[in-house]
Amino acid sequence: MALDRSDVEKIAHLARLAVSEEDIRAYTCSLTDILKFVEQMDSADVVDVTPMAHPLDAVQRLREDEVREVNQREKFQSIAPQVEAGLYLVPRVIE
Amino acid sequence: MYKQTIASLSDGLHQGTFSSVELTRQCLERINRYNAQLNCFITVTEELALADAREADRRLQSGEAAPMTGIPIAHKDIFCTDGVKTSCASRMLDNFIAPYDATVVASFKNAGAVMLGKTNMDEFAMGSSNETSFYGAVGNPWDSTKVPGGSSGGSAAAVAARLALGATGTDTGGSIRQPAALCGLTGLKPTYGRVSRYGMIAFASSLDQGGPLTYTAEDAALMLNVMAGFDEKDSTSIDQAVPDYCAGLNQCIDGLKIGVPKEFFGEGLDSVVGDRVEQAIQQFEKMGATIVEVSLPNSMLSVPAYYVVAPAECSSNLSRFDGVRYGYRCEEPVDLMDLYKRSRGEGFGAEVKRRIMIGTYALSAGYYDAYYLKAQKLRQLISDDFRRAFAGVDVIIGPTTPTTAFPVGDKLDDPIQMYLSDIYTIAANLAGLPAISIPCGFSDGLPVGMQIIGAYFKEEQLLNIAHQYQQETDWHKQMPEGFS
């Protein structure tokens, strides 16, 4: 599967990554190479194989629905880029 | 003191021959002397280390000490440390002071171990050479023109140069075992779910597993005793009793059945590395083990399967880094989309972005079946291969890496060549099996590692076999010149 630059631009958008013009070109080549490399998987017959969900067949553990964590908002927000009145600030979303 | 093992230093501390403060100062002095050259630490926590050491000495004197009490170790900078910068070697987290301790970090604190600092690594553990770090490459103590391996390259270099007595690492596709092999150390990746992943910054959640890097198997057992165990904060932690990993070290390995997979000795394996591993297998035969050829026919597809599964999971895990709640934020974002895209575009390095994009593509509409689903099916086949092999043998032995440490810059521009340096280690991650790498010789002055893969939860057996080998050989006792 060969990617072209518009594919890479679309992937970068889906991944929310700003990628420069120059880098788009480089990624187009390296991503294509990697996808070609992983196509080696096609040599295995996996038609009737059940995909692995967990190596030890463990299932999700459940617990009582109770509050265990204490509120540490101030501590957590002390490392945030921008907060005000206990809220995280981002550029205006709604005019 | 720095030339001794954790086991013998622990005895010295308990007997009062020297104090933890003395031992810690010696490590800190060595870090001051050698870190500029090796770049193996991102953060050195000198004051905290001395405070830990003083508390350890108090515990030692009052009889409250455990085997790891007072032992100076380093943590890979992927483990969250409350109040201490936890960068994952990324610009994205260059300003991140973790607000809590990883369970592994808390366990070592409870055991009274001393934290010297946080070690360098490949950015977000994505790499096999420690060259993708935002803080620069790490030197291999055996030869500064060679890489130490990765992603736990800083931990490996720090222990190999005796700046720390042991270090934690994480292994998603070989990131403990490969640097252990390239730096002449013992490195153990436990069974998936054996060591808590809580507070260990996630890369590929179905593969990531923490473990120790040490001089000897006995030291690895001492560290694993602290690290292993059920943790309800990690939803994939396995609730199974933890043995005393030191208790079984001295068992005789007479009658042990060792499987040697022919696929691990084919094309791509350096002939000297192959010879050293063959000699180690002969050594085990002399010690009473039986050698059986086994086949892992699908193992050669483990690298392609891994480069779907790991990037897919990383693209999901790393979506949390959005420039809003913590970490890097770009200057003057014009709108929310610009904030997300530039914070991520500027905060992540080239290899991390490459893997996020591969994973995003593999999980995008219309491609899921062709990539992720197929890779998960292959994982099942790879796991079935191991199950068949373990029906007839106790452990599987082969090389850890296809070559010894490669030159700095050699594979940086060729991602696929870099990915193939983990060709023998990835299968154990895909199957969730425990595996250990131990030194088994040298080639042109560089260490060679052999890998021993065990059945699920057989860490005790792997450590026993490694320890017995280390009683008969002295490869693990060699030290790189210039650091002795």
Side-chain angles (χ1 to χ4, degrees):
Chain A
M1 173 87 201
L3 299 178
D4 60 29
R5 63 178 301 122
S6 70
D7 294 323
V8 177
E9 283 166 355
K10 188 181 158 208
I11 297 165
H13 171 69
L14 287 173
R16 302 292 185 266
L17 288 170
V19 181
S20 69
E21 282 294 305
E22 196 183 323
D23 287 347
I24 288 280
R25 209 174 312 134
Y27 282 124
T28 304
C29 295
S30 65
L31 297 186
T32 296
D33 287 347
I34 293 166
L35 290 174
K36 280 188 181 148
F37 173 72
V38 304
E39 276 167 17
Q40 286 177 35
M41 294 196 304
D42 294 342
S43 65
D45 178 12
V46 294
V47 178
D48 297 321
V49 179
T50 307
M52 177 188 277
H54 189 286
L56 296 160
D57 298 323
V59 292
Q60 191 67 40
R61 209 171 50 244
L62 299 177
R63 65 169 177 85
E64 292 304 310
D65 183 16
E66 60 193 18
V67 177
R68 293 186 182 183
E69 294 293 326
V70 293
N71 186 0
Q72 299 184 70
R73 184 169 71 183
E74 267 128 56
K75 185 175 187 186
F76 294 156
Q77 290 200 331
S78 69
I79 50 170
Q82 212 182 352
V83 288
E84 193 178 296
L87 304 171
Y88 292 98
L89 292 193
V90 295
R92 184 177 292 277
V93 178
I94 302 163
E95 289 298 331
Chain B
M1 283 188 278
Y2 62 88
K3 290 186 183 178
Q4 296 176 41
T5 63
I6 294 176
S8 70
L9 290 166
S10 178
D11 287 346
L13 287 170
H14 280 81
Q15 287 156 11
T17 317
F18 47 84
S19 70
S20 175
V21 169
E22 288 172 287
L23 183 58
T24 301
R25 277 195 204 284
Q26 191 172 81
C27 289
L28 290 168
E29 278 162 22
R30 290 181 64 76
I31 293 170
N32 281 334
R33 194 179 331 153
Y34 295 117
N35 192 46
Q37 173 186 350
L38 292 171
N39 196 29
C40 50
F41 280 88
I42 291 173
T43 304
V44 180
T45 51
E46 185 164 348
E47 283 176 28
L48 285 174
L50 289 169
D52 285 352
R54 281 190 289 271
E55 169 61 13
D57 285 333
R58 191 198 60 74
R59 279 178 67 168
L60 284 156
Q61 275 161 17
S62 65
E64 302 159 52
M68 285 297 293
T69 304
I71 300 292
I73 59 164
H75 288 302
K76 185 177 183 178
D77 208 17
I78 198 168
F79 288 99
C80 284
T81 41
D82 194 1
V84 174
K85 174 170 143 175
T86 301
S87 72
C88 236
S90 180
R91 185 186 192 190
M92 181 60 85
L93 292 177
D94 181 48
N95 62 1
F96 180 65
I97 308 295
Y100 67 103
D101 277 330
T103 296
V104 162
V105 171
S107 299
F108 277 111
K109 273 187 188 171
N110 291 337
V114 173
M115 179 177 87
L116 295 165
K118 307 291 294 290
T119 57
N120 206 341
M121 52 183 281
D122 280 295
E123 184 181 4
F124 284 103
M126 296 176 201
S128 306
S129 66
N130 214 118
E131 292 169 291
T132 71
S133 168
F134 175 62
Y135 302 96
V138 170
N140 186 320
W142 293 93
D143 178 348
S144 60
T145 68
K146 304 290 196 298
V147 302
S151 65
S152 312
S155 287
V159 178
R162 310 303 207 239
L163 309 190
L165 303 175
T168 55
T170 59
D171 191 316
T172 304
S175 284
I176 290 173
R177 291 160 287 158
Q178 187 253 18
L182 270 41
C183 290
L185 297 176
T186 300
L188 173 67
K189 180 201 94 74
T191 306
Y192 180 73
R194 180 76 295 187
V195 170
S196 170
R197 294 186 299 109
Y198 179 74
M200 195 178 103
I201 296 171
F203 160 17
S205 303
S206 76
L207 304 164
D208 297 341
Q209 185 61 200
L213 289 115
T214 54
Y215 316 147
T216 65
E218 186 180 20
D219 286 0
L222 283 164
M223 284 187 68
L224 189 63
N225 272 345
V226 175
M227 299 175 82
F230 174 65
D231 180 11
E232 64 175 22
K233 291 178 180 163
D234 171 1
S235 67
T236 58
S237 175
I238 305 280
D239 193 359
Q240 184 163 322
V242 180
D244 174 358
Y245 293 107
C246 294
L249 289 175
N250 291 316
Q251 279 172 29
C252 176
I253 62 162
D254 191 30
L256 182 79
K257 275 193 191 157
I258 296 176
V260 177
K262 56 183 181 209
E263 291 85 0
F264 283 25
F265 290 84
E267 201 187 332
L269 176 64
D270 176 86
S271 63
V272 180
V273 172
D275 287 348
R276 296 292 174 272
V277 177
E278 302 265 12
Q279 284 158 9
I281 291 167
Q282 286 162 18
Q283 173 67 35
F284 280 119
E285 223 170 352
K286 268 190 235 159
M287 292 161 69
T290 311
I291 311 302
V292 183
E293 186 179 284
V294 295
S295 180
L296 302 169
N298 293 293
S299 63
M300 290 301 113
L301 291 174
S302 60
V303 184
Y306 177 85
Y307 278 95
V308 172
V309 174
E313 294 183 12
C314 107
S315 74
S316 169
N317 272 324
L318 271 60
S319 64
R320 76 192 60 189
F321 302 104
D322 56 5
V324 174
R325 291 155 302 149
Y326 51 83
Y328 179 80
R329 175 183 285 198
C330 66
E331 299 281 338
E332 308 280 328
V334 296
D335 57 24
L336 191 56
M337 185 60 88
D338 184 46
L339 183 155
Y340 290 149
K341 284 190 171 179
R342 279 201 294 124
S343 297
R344 290 165 60 76
E346 294 165 15
F348 293 134
E351 179 62 20
V352 171
K353 284 187 273 197
R354 180 153 44 226
R355 296 204 196 180
I356 289 174
M357 287 195 278
I358 283 290
T360 302
Y361 179 77
L363 293 177
S364 62
Y367 296 104
Y368 180 83
D369 287 5
Y371 293 104
Y372 194 73
L373 190 70
K374 188 174 285 169
Q376 290 291 72
K377 288 180 170 187
L378 253 173
R379 259 180 105 167
Q380 191 59 56
L381 291 181
I382 290 164
S383 181
D384 291 344
D385 284 353
F386 278 113
R387 192 163 295 135
R388 269 189 294 275
F390 281 124
V393 300
D394 298 307
V395 293
I396 289 170
I397 295 188
T400 307
T401 58
T403 66
T404 54
F406 46 88
V408 174
D410 201 30
K411 302 182 188 208
L412 199 55
D413 297 326
D414 189 345
I416 291 167
Q417 280 312 307
M418 186 72 89
Y419 299 168
L420 286 168
S421 58
D422 291 328
I423 190 161
Y424 305 126
T425 47
I426 282 175
N429 298 84
L430 292 173
L433 295 164
I436 193 169
S437 178
I438 58 172
C440 67
F442 287 84
S443 172
D444 279 337
L446 292 169
V448 174
M450 85 168 125
Q451 178 178 220
I452 314 172
I453 305 173
Y456 295 114
F457 295 107
K458 295 286 189 185
E459 288 82 2
E460 195 179 4
Q461 186 179 35
L462 295 182
L463 290 162
N464 166 226
I465 296 166
H467 181 69
Q468 289 304 307
Y469 179 80
Q470 291 179 345
Q471 300 309 296
E472 302 293 324
T473 58
D474 64 358
W475 306 118
H476 61 290
K477 291 182 181 162
Q478 309 303 313
M479 268 194 73
E481 273 176 38
F483 297 95
S484 51

